[in-house]
Amino acid sequence: MAKSQHMQCDLNIPFPKIVNKENLDKLELILHTLIELNYTHVAINKQLSPKMYYTPSKKQKQQMTPKDLQNLEEYDLKADLETYFKQFEILEQKFKSKQLKLFTRVTVEIDDPNQLGSIFINLNSPSAKNRFDLVAILPLSEKGLAFLTNNNGSGSNSTSIDILTFDYANYFNGFHLKHKTMNGITRRGIKVEILYSSIFNNLNQSNLKFINNSKQVIRCCRKGIKTCIISSGATQNIYLRGKIAIESILDFLGLKPDVYSRMLKENPISSLLNGRLRVKSYQQTIATGIDVMMKDPEIEREGYEVVNGFVVKSNIEENLEDKLEPPTKKLKK
Amino acid sequence: MVRIKNRYILFELLYPPSDCMASEDIIFQHRNPNKTKSVINPKTIIYELRKQIKLYLGEQGLGKANMTLQMKYFNNVTSVGILKCSAEYYKTVVLGLSMIQNFNNDKEKIIVNVVKLSGTINKLQDHSIKRNKELIKRIQFQTQTNNNLGYYLEQKQSEQLSQFLSEENKQIHVADEPVEME
């Protein structure tokens, strides 16, 4: 067996809502502690609430208060995303020499699917200037969850979504998860995310709510063998934990070792691959670079190469000679 | 009679910095070798561990985990320690360790990073030595003038390095008497 290199993912580190020096320094400190805990692949998450992307009609504008109208006019989504990508580039340069690899990610909160408009097309189109590596969805109501299962919906087929998350610090208001809906979602390759950081927070009994919510999610996803991924969602660096500690928490929730080892390693890598190939490749077939998978020296020795998680023959000329040799066996007529 | 099987846990305490400081000495900020840590000793660690296990798993869980629980080694300078517990219920001990956030309701919060689990104490000793050497390599890489990071460290950190090196050469002192709960 080839010994694969160490890999550990955390696909949800929230980007601060208000961009100033204090909050950006906090983000940097989180990344530094992630290095101490042996993490290798980290995604920085930009969260978009319905207020940010929703443009109301004229009738709705007349009903709104003047304060809300002011906020609507002041906020600019394009400028906000540009500042995010600027800060991300600065962070990428700072952590270039270290073992950490950074990725971009966006989560869209959905309250009512009618409000969405063309937000996914703007975020995801190949002609856009900056594209996110990962796209996630956070439903706030049952309608928002139905957006994913609805095949006729505007967004479900045309946009590719990688991850489905929930708010684990509060109870799910007004909706119950069912086998049928979750199976339909996960069959398309969308992963369901569990955020563990709220177990360390005693405010508003959020640690109890975390246990309740995560048990509910795991039950719906058939114990989450091929569907669930684990990430932190930590707003401070004290809520981060290492690999063995997370395993013990999942064991505490009643999962078995073969299940949680998959949740920690293979499922997040596959979702990263999926999202990364959407940006980097032509129709998910041809790609270059070694972004997601690490190099494996034993595979390289045999004349193969790992490219974006796929094993590819590196020395084509040598292998051609083998093929040109005449076949020893005669074909029957 | 069958002998009692044990499991040994190698862990380290990390002190994640709350204020933003220069990113140059980020490795030392997580270990804090120069700081006075009078609150943290084997007794307080075991006391806090039992408290956390009781909070999450109740008295039954504590009774199971408490069978052969013992602190074998702890160094406050390198902030590395070794715990001994029974092989059946080591998962409860690891859960308790990972849930610790502070000692004696102190304001400063900490992370207990569980590094490795093993059946023998010798293997853990080898692993910790190997780990320490890697850490020293990382520090020495940072002190070079022509590294990729583009900064130069002052002399005060070389003193901290020498302290690390001197602690590494010391032999492990094994406490004979188990630490009891207060």
Side-chain angles (χ1 to χ4, degrees):
Chain A
M1 285 285 287
K3 219 181 182 182
S4 61
Q5 276 192 358
H6 164 75
M7 244 176 123
Q8 206 173 335
C9 302
D10 191 345
L11 300 184
N12 194 343
I13 296 295
F15 188 75
K17 281 174 186 172
I18 305 159
V19 181
N20 54 22
K21 214 205 163 198
E22 270 186 39
N23 292 338
L24 288 172
D25 286 336
K26 261 189 184 178
L27 217 182
E28 227 174 275
L29 285 176
I30 288 175
L31 296 179
H32 278 298
T33 41
L34 280 172
I35 292 172
E36 298 299 323
L37 294 171
N38 256 337
Y39 278 85
T40 53
H41 292 65
V42 171
I44 293 169
N45 182 18
K46 173 77 186 164
Q47 199 153 328
L48 297 177
S49 63
K51 277 181 187 174
M52 285 171 162
Y53 58 78
Y54 177 46
T55 49
S57 62
K58 277 183 184 176
K59 271 190 182 177
Q60 285 164 330
K61 271 186 183 176
Q62 286 170 0
Q63 292 171 356
M64 285 166 83
T65 55
K67 258 196 177 179
D68 289 334
L69 272 173
Q70 258 200 8
N71 287 334
L72 251 180
E73 286 167 6
E74 280 177 8
Y75 181 75
D76 186 16
L77 182 67
K78 266 192 179 178
D80 197 17
L81 289 180
E82 268 182 25
T83 52
Y84 168 80
F85 278 104
K86 256 189 190 176
Q87 295 299 333
F88 181 80
E89 274 182 20
I90 293 167
L91 279 176
E92 215 175 21
Q93 280 189 347
K94 269 185 186 173
F95 289 88
K96 212 176 185 181
S97 59
K98 295 173 184 180
Q99 59 167 346
L100 216 61
K101 259 181 190 169
L102 297 176
F103 298 93
T104 54
R105 164 183 158 157
V106 64
T107 54
V108 183
E109 296 177 7
I110 299 179
D111 194 14
D112 189 2
N114 295 330
Q115 292 179 352
L116 277 170
S118 59
I119 176 75
F120 279 112
I121 298 163
N122 288 338
L123 289 174
N124 232 344
S125 69
S127 61
K129 198 180 177 185
N130 294 312
R131 294 180 72 191
F132 288 95
D133 295 327
L134 290 165
V135 180
I137 273 184
L138 197 153
L140 297 173
S141 62
E142 199 159 9
K143 269 186 187 175
L145 192 66
F147 166 76
L148 276 174
T149 53
N150 191 6
N151 277 326
N152 300 323
S154 58
S156 60
N157 284 328
S158 58
T159 61
S160 40
I161 293 152
D162 305 306
I163 297 168
L164 170 70
T165 62
F166 296 101
D167 184 12
Y168 284 90
N170 300 305
Y171 287 122
F172 302 155
N173 54 338
F175 64 94
H176 259 286
L177 300 176
K178 288 174 189 168
H179 276 298
K180 196 184 168 187
T181 53
M182 296 301 271
N183 269 357
I185 292 164
T186 51
R187 212 174 284 159
R188 268 186 283 152
I190 296 169
K191 306 286 187 216
V192 184
E193 195 182 38
I194 295 170
L195 305 175
Y196 69 84
S197 73
S198 51
I199 201 172
F200 300 109
N201 202 350
N202 291 328
L203 277 175
N204 300 324
Q205 292 187 324
S206 62
N207 49 358
L208 286 185
K209 287 168 188 168
F210 163 75
I211 293 167
N212 187 348
N213 292 336
S214 56
K215 285 287 265 185
Q216 216 182 107
V217 168
I218 289 162
R219 187 185 65 87
C220 291
C221 297
R222 310 261 155 127
K223 291 177 185 173
I225 299 168
K226 289 183 179 176
T227 55
C228 283
I229 62 174
I230 296 264
S231 42
S232 71
T235 48
Q236 292 179 44
N237 51 5
I238 48 171
Y239 296 143
L240 295 167
R241 288 295 182 276
K243 188 189 166 193
I244 296 172
I246 296 168
E247 282 179 354
S248 74
I249 291 168
L250 292 172
D251 194 83
F252 172 61
L253 290 175
L255 290 169
K256 282 178 181 173
D258 59 326
V259 179
Y260 56 66
S261 69
R262 264 192 102 93
M263 278 181 174
L264 275 166
K265 201 176 178 188
E266 281 149 37
N267 294 346
I269 288 170
S270 73
S271 69
L272 245 185
L273 246 179
N274 211 0
R276 194 75 180 152
L277 280 176
R278 188 181 60 234
V279 181
K280 283 267 171 181
S281 69
Y282 173 72
Q283 291 189 349
Q284 304 230 339
T285 47
I286 301 163
T288 53
I290 39 163
D291 285 328
V292 178
M293 276 291 183
M294 295 272 202
K295 270 188 179 178
D296 202 337
E298 288 200 17
I299 290 175
E300 279 175 15
R301 241 174 266 152
E302 293 165 9
Y304 292 94
E305 211 175 353
V306 177
V307 177
N308 265 351
F310 299 107
V311 180
V312 179
K313 279 186 183 178
S314 57
N315 305 327
I316 298 167
E317 292 177 5
E318 289 178 14
N319 293 322
L320 269 175
E321 289 173 4
D322 300 334
K323 281 181 185 175
L324 287 173
E325 283 177 9
T328 50
K329 282 181 184 178
K330 284 181 181 178
L331 291 168
K332 283 178 185 177
K333 281 185 182 178
Chain B
M1 221 182 98
V2 186
R3 78 190 164 85
I4 301 168
K5 284 188 177 177
N6 294 319
R7 191 99 339 156
Y8 297 89
I9 303 169
L10 177 73
F11 67 93
E12 68 172 346
L13 302 184
L14 294 178
Y15 306 82
S18 55
D19 309 328
C20 123
M21 286 183 228
S23 61
E24 297 151 13
D25 50 350
I26 209 78
I27 296 170
F28 282 116
Q29 275 179 39
H30 279 89
R31 268 89 186 177
N32 266 349
N34 281 342
K35 224 182 91 192
T36 52
K37 289 169 269 188
S38 57
V39 186
I40 296 166
N41 51 40
K43 262 189 185 179
T44 51
I45 292 170
I46 291 247
Y47 179 77
E48 193 65 35
L49 211 175
R50 283 174 178 152
K51 209 170 127 188
Q52 292 297 329
I53 292 172
K54 201 176 177 183
L55 209 158
Y56 280 94
L57 295 166
E59 291 190 346
Q60 189 210 18
L62 214 179
K64 282 173 180 173
N66 218 352
M67 272 172 24
T68 52
L69 192 65
Q70 192 182 349
M71 182 72 84
K72 278 290 183 188
Y73 167 77
F74 183 70
N75 191 341
N76 232 341
V77 178
T78 52
S79 65
V80 172
I82 293 172
L83 259 177
K84 179 192 175 189
C85 63
S86 71
E88 280 181 65
Y89 305 110
Y90 72 95
K91 274 176 184 171
T92 59
V93 179
V94 173
L95 180 76
L97 276 176
S98 57
M99 286 301 169
I100 293 173
Q101 292 194 50
N102 51 10
F103 293 113
N104 289 353
N105 295 324
D106 205 17
K107 268 190 181 181
E108 240 187 79
K109 298 214 167 181
I110 54 125
I111 296 174
V112 182
N113 184 23
V114 181
V115 180
K116 206 186 175 184
L117 307 166
S118 177
T120 55
I121 202 166
N122 285 340
K123 276 279 154 66
L124 282 191
Q125 205 175 333
D126 295 344
H127 189 264
S128 72
I129 289 166
K130 197 179 156 191
R131 207 179 135 80
N132 252 18
K133 277 176 185 168
E134 279 174 14
L135 219 160
I136 288 160
K137 262 187 196 173
R138 267 177 69 196
I139 296 163
Q140 282 169 345
F141 171 73
Q142 282 203 340
T143 50
Q144 288 169 10
T145 48
N146 283 329
N147 57 6
N148 302 340
L149 310 175
Y151 53 72
Y152 177 66
L153 286 184
E154 291 173 8
Q155 203 180 2
K156 77 174 183 190
Q157 270 170 16
S158 61
E159 290 171 13
Q160 289 176 332
L161 215 176
S162 63
Q163 205 174 349
F164 252 89
L165 285 167
S166 65
E167 283 297 322
E168 195 213 346
N169 293 329
K170 279 182 189 174
Q171 282 188 342
I172 283 184
H173 171 70
V174 178
D176 289 324
E177 295 173 7
V179 185
E180 287 174 8
M181 196 177 180
E182 289 170 353

